[in-house]
Amino acid sequence: GPYLLAGGSMGGAIAYEIACQLQQAGEPVAFLGLFDTLASLEPGTAHEPTGPDGPGPPAQAPSRRPRPARRRS
């Protein structure tokens, strides 16, 4: 480590599981990239994300600024 992991679609779910298992084994995960990966909505079906100080705050989606209106020529 530190490990850098990424995956898309099902590969993202697999990368997430690998990251969880690495952290549980005490290995550092420096980056986890998920592309086009859906999170499970079923309670108890996914690991809680952890960091050096235990579980962190829930992730927040980036805020989107409204686009300025386009002028018609």
Side-chain angles (χ1 to χ4, degrees):
Y3 291 90
L4 308 172
L5 303 168
S9 293
M10 183 63 178
I14 293 168
Y16 179 79
E17 179 62 28
I18 291 169
C20 290
Q21 290 186 22
L22 285 168
Q23 286 188 329
Q24 288 173 354
E27 294 290 335
V29 176
F31 176 82
L32 174 61
L34 305 177
F35 307 96
D36 194 27
T37 302
L38 297 177
S40 173
L41 298 177
E42 294 294 321
T45 60
H47 298 287
E48 290 293 321
T50 58
D53 300 320
Q60 298 293 320
S63 62
R64 295 188 69 172
R65 290 182 280 157
R67 292 183 181 175
R70 289 187 178 183
R71 291 186 191 174
R72 293 189 176 183
S73 319

